[in-house]
Amino acid sequence: MPPIKKLLLAATAISIALAGQAMAHAHLKSAVPAADGTVKSAPSELDLTFSESLNVKFSGVKITGPDKATAKTGEAMLMNSGTTLMVPVADKLAPGKYTVEWHVLSTDGHKTNGSYSFTIAP
Ligand SMILES: [Cu+2]
């Protein structure tokens, strides 16, 4: 086999291995209230369900309201074998659009983050 072909094969094998690892990271699968959803009343907690189990010490959310203020949240807890991050909402949220910025550390040691929005109907 020519050396360049060997090199290409090796590169392909490495990128497949990396892609496999990336797929094992914790991705947000579902949320309550749902991403891009509208709820009729203010939620007393947020539930974020991930593809992997999490380390709660290094996982959390920041909820930003329509007035750009950060909503007060309680201590996050894990449910569903560690895949659901439950975050109590201490404030009574007013109607409007909220952005949830999440960051998690999965038990395989990888950090992921993202954000989504939900709306509380007036
Ligand atoms: Cu990972």
Side-chain angles (χ1 to χ4, degrees):
M1 193 185 290
I4 184 71
K5 205 167 180 186
K6 257 189 195 168
L7 204 67
L8 281 173
L9 279 177
T12 306
I14 287 168
S15 59
I16 287 170
L18 288 176
Q21 268 184 0
M23 282 166 73
H25 296 183
H27 296 290
L28 183 64
K29 283 172 68 183
S30 62
V32 180
D36 300 323
T38 299
V39 290
K40 287 183 182 142
S41 55
S44 57
E45 66 179 60
L46 302 188
D47 296 330
L48 286 80
T49 298
F50 292 87
S51 57
E52 301 286 317
S53 55
L54 308 175
N55 183 329
V56 73
K57 277 188 193 169
F58 300 99
S59 302
V61 303
K62 182 184 171 195
I63 308 169
T64 308
D67 51 2
K68 304 287 176 227
T70 304
K72 203 179 282 176
T73 52
E75 201 171 330
M77 281 183 284
L78 293 179
M79 304 185 301
N80 292 332
S81 312
T83 57
T84 298
L85 188 71
M86 193 276 271
V87 183
V89 181
D91 289 337
K92 168 101 173 108
L93 303 180
K97 188 174 182 178
Y98 290 82
T99 300
V100 180
E101 289 171 77
W102 57 266
H103 67 275
V104 299
L105 177 70
S106 52
T107 48
D108 69 358
H110 293 130
K111 286 179 185 174
T112 48
N113 62 73
S115 69
Y116 64 89
S117 298
F118 69 87
T119 300
I120 301 172

